[in-house]
Amino acid sequence: MTDQPNPWGDAPGGDRFSAVLPLDLTAFYLQHHKAYLRYAHLQLDSRPEAEDVVDEVFAELADTWNEVLRQPSVEAYAMATLKEVLAQRLAARGREVPFVATAAFAALRDASRVRLTALESNLGLYSAIARLPERHYDVIVLCFVLGYSQKKVAHIMGVSPATVRSHIHGARRRLARYLGFDWQPTEEEKV
């Protein structure tokens, strides 16, 4: 069995970039590369394509870093850049986002035999997630599919934790409607 790179692993080659990039960009790269790679991999279903997209995003950020630093939120700008490059890549290949299949595969890979029956019901959930509006989709994927904390998601997206909570609240309501459930807000959402 060949040793395949782990799409969920740490940033490759971080040391080689730090020698040529400004220190603040290097720090940004080290903080966000793994999340961007995981997000891109879910969208593209290909480690090499995901790496290529993320490399392109960081090259674009490096080329315009001084302008990026003048943005109201560097994180929000960088996330928008990632999504733009992903959209261009998918459009150029005439492909739609294979999130449903990729997320199901990731769940299958991590599931034990006991949890395999739960995967079948998750496919409907993954399809419903794919139908969410852009911001709801991003928050749900980052929080619940990729497992980042709400605080980390806020940092990745360049929004406040309250905004993340609001998007989760809205997404849960929509998902319940899409899946035909009677939605009841959690105690935290009632506040």
Side-chain angles (χ1 to χ4, degrees):
M1 182 170 160
T2 61
D3 188 25
Q4 294 293 320
N6 178 359
W8 317 116
D10 290 327
D15 292 337
R16 82 171 182 237
F17 291 114
S18 63
V20 295
L21 297 176
L23 187 57
D24 50 359
L25 177 56
T26 300
F28 186 85
Y29 173 88
L30 292 172
Q31 287 179 345
H32 292 83
H33 184 272
K34 182 178 178 180
Y36 286 11
L37 182 59
R38 292 179 74 197
Y39 185 88
H41 187 259
L42 275 177
Q43 309 310 310
L44 298 168
D45 195 23
S46 163
R47 168 72 186 232
E49 278 189 282
E51 288 175 343
D52 191 43
V53 163
V54 173
D55 287 349
E56 185 177 332
V57 167
F58 279 100
E60 188 173 319
L61 293 174
D63 287 345
T64 59
W65 188 241
N66 288 331
E67 180 183 323
V68 172
L69 290 174
R70 289 191 293 273
Q71 300 302 312
S73 170
V74 171
E75 290 82 6
Y77 184 87
M79 185 70 174
T81 302
L82 172 63
K83 293 178 70 159
E84 182 179 318
V85 172
L86 279 167
Q88 290 169 354
R89 185 67 53 98
L90 289 168
R93 287 171 173 67
R95 292 177 48 201
E96 292 185 23
V97 175
F99 163 74
V100 174
T102 307
F105 176 75
L108 177 62
R109 183 187 61 216
D110 295 338
S112 66
R113 289 183 189 263
V114 175
R115 292 172 43 206
L116 287 178
T117 53
L119 176 62
E120 187 175 322
S121 65
N122 287 344
L123 292 176
L125 175 60
Y126 294 141
S127 296
I129 291 170
R131 293 176 49 200
L132 289 171
E134 181 178 359
R135 289 296 193 159
H136 291 172
Y137 171 86
D138 290 342
V139 167
I140 294 300
V141 167
L142 290 167
C143 279
F144 299 106
V145 177
L146 296 179
Y148 291 108
S149 69
Q150 290 180 24
K151 182 178 177 183
K152 177 72 173 175
V153 171
H155 180 72
I156 290 168
M157 294 180 64
V159 298
S160 71
T163 299
V164 170
R165 285 190 300 277
S166 175
H167 288 317
I168 289 171
H169 178 79
R172 284 181 173 160
R173 190 175 29 213
R174 283 180 184 265
L175 288 170
R177 189 172 64 238
Y178 293 164
L179 296 170
F181 295 120
D182 182 26
W183 178 75
Q184 296 295 322
T186 64
E187 289 301 317
E188 182 180 296
E189 292 172 330
K190 291 178 183 178
V191 176

